[in-house]
Amino acid sequence: MIGLTDFTMAEARDALRARTVSASELTHAFISAIEGARCLNAFVTETPERALDMARQSDTRIARGDARPLEGLPLAIKDLFCTKGVRTTAGSKILNNFVPPYESTVSQNLWDAGAVMLGKTNMDEFAMGSSNETSHFGPVINPWRAGNSNRNLVPGGSSGGSAAAVAGQLCLAATGTDTGGSIRQPAAVSGIVGLKPTYGRCSRWGIVAFASSLDQAGPMTRTVRDAAILLRHMASVDEKDSTSVDVPVADYEEGLDGGVKGLRIGIPKEYRIDGAPPEIEALWHRGAEWLKGQGAEIVDVSLAHTKFALPAYYIVAPAEASSNLARYDGVRYGHRAANTHDLTDLYERSRAEGFGAEVRRRVLVGTYVLSAGYYDAYYVRAQKVRTLIKRDFEQAFETCDVLLTPATPGAAFAIGEKSDDPVSMYLNDVFTVPVNLAGLPAISVPAGLSETGLPLGLQVIGRAFDEATVLRAGRAIEVAAHFGATPKKWWAA
Amino acid sequence: MSERGAKLIKGATDAWEVVIGMEVHAQVLSEAKLFSGAATAFGADPNSQVSFVDAAMPGMLPVINRKCVEQAVRTGLGLKAKINHRSQFDRKNYFYPDLPAGYQISQYKQPIVGEGEVTIDLPGGETRQIGIERLHLEQDAGKSLHDQRPEHSYVDLNRAGVALMEIVTKPDMRGSDEAAAFLRKLRTIVRYLGTCDGNMDEGSMRADVNISVRRPGEPYGTRCEIKNVNSMRFIAQAVEYEARRQVDILESGGSIRQETRLFDPRAGETRAMRSKEEAHDYRYFPDPDLLPLELSPAWINEIARSLPELPDQKKVRFIGLGLSSYDAAVLVAEKETADYFEAMLAEDAEPKAAANWLNNEVFGRLNKAGVSVLASPVSPAQNAAILRLLKDNVISGKIAKDLLDIVWDEGGDPYVIVNARGLRQMSDASAIERMVDAVIKAHPDKVEEVRKKPKLTGWFVGQVMKQSGGKANPQAVNDIVKARLGIGGQG
């Protein structure tokens, strides 16, 4: 039997419009699902009363024939988005009790479109991580398990709570943010769709900053169509964010099924990396064949500076983070150490107690690379690399329309498996990071299962502000892949 | 421009040249802060003018205030400086409770304004050019309050995020008088431009002064930076003291340590600031929340066209009207004063007479009363009327001053007052003769004396003027007294 939580967002929308289900019923179903899945630790804060209140208002509007585009659709919000009156932690102890008196532009856009908030999802602390293990609120558990195993796996990160909530059918869709892969990587290893829009497409106002020149909000959904719908209502130019860009937001759903006939698909040779499992290479190849089968043209391209992307990223992102996180000092809000004896002690202990190990590591790295005497060797050089990577993409897009790559170098791994080795953890983002450095849009679409029965994703990268083509190609993969797999609800047993 | 002997100061063994450069922080006149919509009024209740951006709440972003950019460009144009079509905001990172974000947004490598110059006016009508190195925009910090309660410190963020222009000069000044003259001139220019109110008492303009000494012809010496010198008088004192201190050290075989010093106005001396335990590394990098600032030439031209007549141009024009360089400099030092002067000219006052009248009579009274020219109880038209009465010999100079006092206290039309109170000058010779004769008759002893000391004629003139209540034409009285006493030539 199909339950209410089995709906895709588009199906739920249509059901609400047809009044075969009410927003309150739908919301109740998800609240129960969340309650039954607390062992996944996907949510930091649940807001059931607020959700039901919003759902009732949606039902009133639907009854009046006054429904907005996302009317009554229950969503989860990554705990990096400030939500007015609802605790916003960024996964950190230092913001353990922080309740913003303002609403982020992206979430406000969603509420203005009629969506319902179920709660705030768990995440790596300050979005720093690829496994959701750095959260102050504990790791999130991936709804997926390998065949024949009861081992808990990570959902990826940093938007791990959002990924698990969508994959575990605890919400119709969720918001994520992506600085180096934090939407696409968890989407890939959790068997859902994740879209990182072009830098500047969604406002960053009210999103706790990690690395300002890379951070971008995007949708995490069960289908490409849902991503198209949600993106349209997240995106906006915002006078409060100088880096948001005034390019009209299209109705991405409209052209979704336009197909890929005649589309030139670039295959970047540098994305064949040593040590990647053969199944990743095979999946990639299969993806290209699918698109070719639908009339696309496959083109070999080169992104020559790809191998410098990860090192450059791990200079630029920590540098910006070290500065962005300076405001968490225990003076005005957030965690303040007790019994401090002077100002320096207050700073040092509040921050040492408030930040976890990974955040401290990146603040130290960032502080180091910006220091006098090192700035030119690290930060300036990394920015030059960034320019070269951007140029690589521009040149590639002279001969192709989108790029097809694997989303991750492997499937979900076990909790604790990589947490002692930061570098191996950082390698999770090898395919996603260059896209952030270049500010381009990219989607991860579930495309198959690994040998052990875990989801794997393919990534489609597009030209700046060409989310429409990225979604269309993503949809073509989705159609060809017939993915359809969902995790067994072992937690609900 | 360094070899100017007049500026040297004498040490025990050598003559030394003082080299001065300045960094002036001028608060931009703007309703709102540099990157947030919060207000900027002075003296508001603590933390009443703080936005979420100013308090560095999570997820808040800066957005540049166009008005502040315009003000910086306007100032740059007023300093005859190069306006950079592309500039960049950087983060200057350091921890302090009055700096909520943990970084100050400033302009480090690419300031909005490049090189320019300021002409300073020195005593005796001499002028000099002082080079401007750059002007950049940056945020002010908040204020830590340590004196509210013994066991707590407080932070007032009202100033946090207020736009400042940091104006950096070249090391072109050569004495305390030039340093003070520069700051005075800079203040005049920004007040003309309306880009800073120049209120040093309220901290709207603060100067850090870099001072070094050298023997003429030598390379620059090691400099010390004197922080937050916040009045014209203190600048001169600080330079004098610091230059002397450095000369004494060098002449006794010591060397100058580059350091930041604080001027203590009470002791009249500079003192080394407590040296920080760790050297500051501000880790500057371009602020990723802000795009590079791109200015179109058309917009810059538009601002240039809207510039008012600046003090230097005005001074030249006033000299062309017959004013001395000194009088012209005094009048243009404040825009309001120059406007007042010009309003008198519009009432047909003769320029030279008006300038003298203002400088000798009106400004003194205003200063004494602590009243600004804008609030003067006597209008330009009333002053012009008094001068016209004087010029037409309707009243004497003495009466003119009395009349000014009357108008000051009571207001009214000077013509009406002169007629109503019988203040017209007495030029009728026979009436004056009668008064002179009466005085001579009453003081035979003085008549005797004046034969020996012709200078005593003045005493007779004074007596007659007194009797006439100041209304007698002094020249006529003088002539008649001399004629009656039989004294020729100069009295």
Side-chain angles (χ1 to χ4, degrees):
Chain A
M1 181 199 121
I2 298 249
L4 292 178
T5 62
D6 291 318
F7 278 135
T8 67
M9 197 171 74
E11 287 165 354
R13 176 191 62 183
D14 297 344
L16 284 169
R17 282 186 190 163
R19 305 192 194 179
T20 56
V21 64
S22 72
S24 298
E25 287 170 313
L26 196 59
T27 302
H28 267 297
F30 282 111
I31 290 171
S32 304
I34 292 169
E35 284 170 359
R38 287 203 176 122
C39 65
L40 298 181
N41 202 23
F43 284 81
V44 171
T45 304
E46 298 169 14
T47 56
E49 293 84 8
R50 191 184 184 104
L52 289 170
D53 193 43
M54 290 172 100
R56 271 191 295 274
Q57 290 176 36
S58 287
D59 283 330
T60 308
R61 289 186 81 122
I62 292 167
R64 276 209 309 258
D66 190 18
R68 294 163 292 181
L70 302 180
E71 198 68 63
L73 300 176
L75 305 180
I77 302 296
K78 186 179 184 180
D79 212 15
L80 202 62
F81 294 80
C82 288
T83 41
K84 190 173 180 175
V86 175
R87 181 173 73 141
T88 299
T89 69
S92 182
K93 180 180 176 184
I94 213 157
L95 287 177
N96 192 18
N97 292 314
F98 177 64
V99 179
Y102 44 86
E103 186 79 30
S104 80
T105 299
V106 165
S107 52
Q108 187 62 53
N109 287 347
L110 293 173
W111 314 143
D112 289 347
V116 167
M117 179 165 82
L118 290 166
K120 306 294 292 289
T121 55
N122 203 344
M123 53 179 285
D124 278 304
E125 185 179 7
F126 283 103
M128 298 178 191
S130 307
S131 66
N132 216 117
E133 291 169 289
T134 72
S135 170
H136 171 64
F137 303 93
V140 175
I141 292 163
N142 195 328
W144 289 85
R145 282 176 168 174
N148 310 324
S149 170
N150 288 333
R151 231 176 142 194
N152 283 337
L153 303 177
V154 304
S158 66
S159 312
S162 289
V166 174
Q169 302 188 341
L170 313 181
C171 58
L172 284 173
T175 62
T177 62
D178 191 318
T179 305
S182 281
I183 287 175
R184 292 158 290 159
Q185 184 260 6
V189 302
S190 302
I192 63 165
V193 174
L195 172 64
K196 182 203 95 74
T198 312
Y199 183 79
R201 179 52 100 188
C202 292
S203 168
R204 292 185 296 113
W205 192 87
I207 300 174
V208 177
F210 162 14
S212 312
S213 74
L214 300 161
D215 295 345
Q216 184 60 204
M220 301 179 75
T221 57
R222 262 175 253 161
T223 66
V224 176
R225 180 173 305 280
D226 289 356
I229 294 167
L230 200 54
L231 173 62
R232 184 181 178 189
H233 299 291
M234 292 173 73
S236 65
V237 64
D238 185 359
E239 61 180 21
K240 292 183 287 189
D241 175 3
S242 313
T243 64
S244 71
V245 179
D246 191 9
V247 175
V249 179
D251 180 353
Y252 301 113
E253 193 183 1
E254 203 174 51
L256 199 60
D257 286 310
V260 292
K261 196 166 174 11
L263 206 66
R264 295 168 303 168
I265 312 289
I267 306 291
K269 64 172 190 253
E270 290 80 6
Y271 279 57
R272 283 187 192 95
I273 56 163
D274 294 340
E279 60 186 6
I280 296 293
E281 176 86 25
L283 180 77
W284 188 13
H285 183 74
R286 209 178 311 139
E289 290 301 314
W290 288 334
L291 294 172
K292 198 174 167 185
Q294 294 179 50
E297 181 191 342
I298 304 300
V299 186
D300 286 325
V301 297
S302 170
L303 299 169
H305 299 90
T306 299
K307 67 176 172 205
F308 303 117
L310 211 49
Y313 173 85
Y314 276 98
I315 288 167
V316 173
E320 293 182 8
S322 71
S323 178
N324 283 335
L325 269 57
R327 65 188 58 197
Y328 308 109
D329 57 8
V331 173
R332 297 169 312 289
Y333 51 80
H335 177 76
R336 180 193 285 211
N339 305 318
T340 52
H341 55 77
D342 64 15
L343 184 60
T344 308
D345 192 41
L346 169 73
Y347 284 151
E348 289 180 353
R349 281 177 43 216
S350 298
R351 287 167 67 79
E353 292 168 12
F355 291 143
E358 183 61 25
V359 171
R360 290 202 301 270
R361 175 171 17 249
R362 297 203 199 185
V363 167
L364 285 173
V365 168
T367 304
Y368 180 82
V369 299
L370 288 177
S371 300
Y374 298 100
Y375 179 78
D376 289 339
Y378 290 105
Y379 187 80
V380 172
R381 252 177 123 196
Q383 291 294 1
K384 285 179 182 162
V385 167
R386 195 171 174 178
T387 304
L388 294 173
I389 286 169
K390 209 175 280 184
R391 195 186 304 158
D392 279 353
F393 279 108
E394 282 161 12
Q395 284 168 354
F397 285 128
E398 286 169 12
T399 58
C400 68
D401 301 306
V402 292
L403 296 158
L404 180 71
T405 78
T408 61
F413 46 91
I415 288 178
E417 191 179 325
K418 297 189 179 182
S419 40
D420 293 336
D421 181 0
V423 175
S424 116
M425 188 70 91
Y426 297 168
L427 279 171
N428 273 289
D429 298 330
V430 66
F431 299 131
T432 49
V433 150
V435 178
N436 297 80
L437 291 173
L440 301 173
I443 196 169
S444 170
V445 180
L449 295 175
S450 70
E451 283 172 8
T452 56
L454 292 171
L456 296 171
L458 284 172
Q459 175 176 237
V460 177
I461 307 167
R463 296 189 180 97
F465 297 102
D466 192 11
E467 282 84 358
T469 307
V470 169
L471 283 159
R472 190 151 50 91
R475 172 68 184 147
I477 291 168
E478 185 180 51
V479 168
H482 287 299
F483 181 73
T486 51
K488 295 192 180 73
K489 291 186 179 166
W490 49 266
W491 60 88
Chain B
M1 65 171 64
S2 60
E3 322 303 335
R4 296 177 320 125
K7 292 288 173 190
L8 301 185
I9 60 170
K10 270 206 178 84
T13 54
D14 289 311
W16 297 81
E17 184 180 48
V18 191
V19 177
I20 304 159
M22 226 181 273
E23 289 163 25
V24 180
H25 287 93
Q27 180 177 331
V28 174
L29 261 184
S30 157
E31 300 284 308
K33 295 182 178 180
L34 184 52
F35 296 110
S36 81
T40 57
F42 177 79
D45 288 342
N47 294 315
S48 64
Q49 305 192 341
V50 184
S51 75
F52 294 139
V53 175
D54 304 323
M57 300 296 276
M60 293 299 98
L61 299 171
V63 176
I64 185 78
N65 177 343
R66 186 183 168 93
K67 174 73 180 177
C68 295
V69 174
E70 183 185 330
Q71 293 287 58
V73 170
R74 179 177 283 274
T75 306
L77 293 168
L79 301 176
K80 293 176 231 156
K82 178 172 176 284
I83 308 301
N84 292 325
H85 293 183
R86 185 187 166 94
S87 62
Q88 171 77 51
F89 287 100
D90 298 285
R91 293 185 183 179
K92 178 181 180 177
N93 295 282
Y94 65 95
F95 283 95
Y96 207 69
D98 62 18
L99 186 73
Y103 56 83
Q104 177 198 33
I105 305 178
S106 180
Q107 294 189 300
Y108 182 49
K109 286 191 175 157
Q110 299 181 60
I112 183 165
V113 175
E115 295 187 334
E117 65 177 23
V118 168
T119 305
I120 57 169
D121 303 287
L122 297 169
E126 195 193 340
T127 62
R128 281 202 69 212
Q129 302 302 318
I130 305 301
I132 298 295
E133 180 73 36
R134 58 184 277 167
L135 175 155
H136 71 250
L137 278 168
E138 64 181 29
Q139 298 174 300
D140 203 351
K143 205 165 125 190
S144 297
L145 308 167
H146 300 297
D147 53 359
Q148 309 289 304
R149 275 168 65 186
E151 73 278 23
H152 289 288
S153 285
Y154 292 87
V155 180
D156 177 7
L157 295 179
N158 281 356
R159 289 194 72 91
V162 164
L164 300 179
M165 297 180 281
E166 181 172 324
I167 301 161
V168 183
T169 77
K170 300 194 170 183
D172 284 353
M173 288 159 273
R174 291 294 178 271
S176 58
D177 55 339
E178 294 189 5
F182 169 76
L183 198 59
R184 210 175 295 127
K185 186 57 173 283
L186 181 64
R187 183 172 176 275
T188 301
I189 292 171
V190 293
R191 284 172 56 85
Y192 266 67
L193 293 167
T195 57
C196 172
D197 65 21
N199 288 336
M200 299 188 81
D201 308 345
E202 295 177 2
S204 302
M205 235 176 132
R206 285 116 69 183
D208 300 337
V209 189
N210 287 295
I211 301 168
S212 65
V213 298
R214 64 175 174 183
R215 294 181 185 86
E218 285 184 348
Y220 290 135
T222 303
R223 65 191 157 83
C224 290
E225 183 181 10
I226 318 298
K227 278 274 179 207
N228 263 328
V229 190
N230 53 12
S231 88
M232 304 290 174
R233 196 158 52 91
F234 294 163
I235 286 227
Q237 284 180 20
V239 170
E240 296 287 343
Y241 177 88
E242 179 61 17
R244 178 59 57 190
R245 186 186 74 88
Q246 294 185 13
V247 165
D248 289 347
I249 290 174
L250 293 170
E251 291 198 337
S252 57
S255 60
I256 306 300
R257 194 172 45 172
Q258 185 168 341
E259 63 186 358
T260 303
R261 300 175 68 84
L262 207 62
F263 180 68
D264 176 349
R266 257 184 285 179
E269 59 186 33
T270 67
R271 276 201 300 266
M273 286 174 76
R274 194 169 54 85
S275 74
K276 305 240 166 73
E277 281 157 43
E278 72 269 51
H280 266 306
D281 179 353
Y282 292 121
R283 291 171 280 123
Y284 283 100
F285 76 106
D287 191 326
D289 287 332
L290 292 160
L291 303 171
L293 191 57
E294 314 242 6
L295 308 180
S296 77
W299 191 57
I300 296 169
N301 286 336
E302 198 181 303
I303 296 169
R305 278 196 299 275
S306 75
L307 243 49
E309 183 186 37
L310 288 170
D312 291 341
Q313 302 160 284
K314 219 183 258 297
K315 187 180 158 196
V316 168
R317 187 161 58 80
F318 286 180
I319 291 171
L321 295 173
L323 269 57
S324 70
S325 173
Y326 174 80
D327 280 348
V330 170
L331 285 176
V332 304
E334 295 284 351
K335 185 168 180 298
E336 293 73 23
T337 308
D339 288 347
Y340 193 97
F341 170 69
E342 299 219 62
M344 282 180 68
L345 301 192
E347 298 285 338
D348 292 329
E350 195 269 315
K352 181 115 185 73
N356 287 340
W357 178 251
L358 287 175
N359 285 337
N360 297 333
E361 301 299 332
V362 180
F363 295 157
R365 281 174 173 78
L366 289 169
N367 279 342
K368 204 168 153 195
V371 175
S372 87
V373 69
L374 287 174
S376 169
V378 184
S379 71
Q382 287 168 318
N383 273 310
I386 295 172
L387 288 184
R388 197 170 315 123
L389 287 165
L390 186 61
K391 188 183 167 203
D392 294 346
N393 280 319
V394 177
I395 56 172
S396 67
K398 163 78 173 69
I399 292 295
K401 293 175 193 177
D402 293 346
L403 184 54
L404 176 60
D405 287 334
I406 294 167
V407 177
W408 178 287
D409 290 333
E410 303 167 20
D413 180 342
Y415 288 98
V416 175
I417 294 169
V418 164
N419 286 330
R421 304 197 185 181
L423 299 176
R424 284 179 165 273
Q425 179 161 265
M426 189 193 292
S427 297
D428 172 3
S430 61
I432 296 175
E433 278 168 6
R434 276 195 298 280
M435 284 194 283
V436 171
D437 289 344
V439 173
I440 289 176
K441 201 175 168 191
H443 299 283
D445 50 331
K446 294 277 180 190
V447 174
E448 206 55 40
E449 241 177 294
V450 82
R451 312 255 182 235
K452 285 170 236 159
K453 287 193 238 163
K455 274 193 180 159
L456 269 181
T457 5
W459 183 85
F460 286 92
V461 175
Q463 290 298 310
V464 174
M465 290 304 292
K466 203 167 163 186
Q467 282 201 6
S468 76
K471 286 183 286 181
N473 179 330
Q475 192 55 48
V477 175
N478 198 43
D479 292 347
I480 291 167
V481 165
K482 281 180 185 166
R484 283 292 202 261
L485 293 173
I487 293 166
Q490 298 288 195

